[in-house]
Amino acid sequence: MAVHWGVFIFWKNYHESIDSSIKLIAAKYKQCLFIDLHGHGHEKQRLELGYLVNGNSLRNPSSITPEQTSVFHLLQLNNSITVLQLLTRQNAFGTMMAAKGFSAVPSAQIPAPSVGDSHFDGGFNTGRFTGAAYPVVYGWQMEANNTGVRDNSSNRALSAKAFVQS
């Protein structure tokens, strides 16, 4: 029982810390970018960007509604931008990362995972902190592959630079 209670306390403190940080940022700025960054061990060595849109929806982009995505609040700030522009077009984060040598899905280069491919589509944290309770927050989950991204300090520095520039 003590282990489970300890995990709960850690989880609670972690989420309260994010909540407090968002409140501080929101008090100073009109928008907040939330990135939930992890590493993945999937066979395909590419970044997996989770905007709360699953692979099937990415393969059928007409089914994606802005409200279901983790970038909905950003779309509300500028009604001339479409959800597909943010996910798979020229200025999409994944497209810019791929142009810098870091393959990503979704992007213009790979708009959707193939049927049967593993893909993280965004998790609890992304859904929670980009949802209705946080109207100035938008963002995504980013699952980073190992090879060429996080396998050594040089690649970590290169991918971090590409991330910031993108």
Side-chain angles (χ1 to χ4, degrees):
M1 280 284 184
V3 172
H4 295 294
W5 182 251
V7 170
F8 172 74
I9 295 298
F10 178 78
W11 183 89
K12 183 177 179 286
N13 289 342
Y14 172 73
H15 286 270
E16 287 175 353
S17 176
I18 294 171
D19 181 70
S20 296
S21 296
I22 288 172
K23 286 178 181 170
L24 287 171
I25 293 166
K28 189 170 182 176
Y29 303 99
K30 67 178 184 177
Q31 52 189 310
C32 176
L33 175 64
F34 176 81
I35 304 291
D36 189 11
L37 177 61
H38 301 267
H40 76 72
H42 292 160
E43 185 177 323
K44 293 207 174 172
Q45 295 297 293
R46 61 187 180 197
L47 302 173
E48 297 178 14
L49 307 176
Y51 297 94
L52 304 179
V53 180
N54 64 34
N56 188 50
S57 293
L58 289 170
R59 287 186 293 277
N60 301 289
S62 63
S63 70
I64 301 171
T65 61
E67 298 82 8
Q68 81 186 68
T69 71
S70 59
V71 291
F72 177 63
H73 298 135
L74 178 59
L75 291 166
Q76 289 184 309
L77 293 172
N78 185 341
N79 61 7
S80 66
I81 300 172
T82 68
V83 69
L84 288 178
Q85 286 174 308
L86 287 178
L87 302 185
T88 62
R89 299 302 194 259
Q90 180 181 0
N91 291 321
F93 177 77
T95 302
M96 290 189 280
M97 288 297 289
K100 293 179 183 346
F102 299 94
S103 180
V105 61
S107 63
Q109 298 85 345
I110 310 170
S114 297
V115 173
D117 281 354
S118 296
H119 177 72
F120 288 102
D121 56 10
F124 175 81
N125 293 340
T126 303
R128 177 178 182 174
F129 294 112
T130 65
Y134 298 89
V136 299
V137 182
Y138 55 88
W140 55 89
Q141 180 173 336
M142 185 167 119
E143 296 285 339
N145 53 292
N146 188 50
T147 304
V149 175
R150 55 187 178 90
D151 54 348
N152 61 53
S153 60
S154 177
N155 286 338
R156 286 189 295 275
L158 289 172
S159 63
K161 182 178 179 180
F163 177 87
V164 170
Q165 290 172 340
S166 297

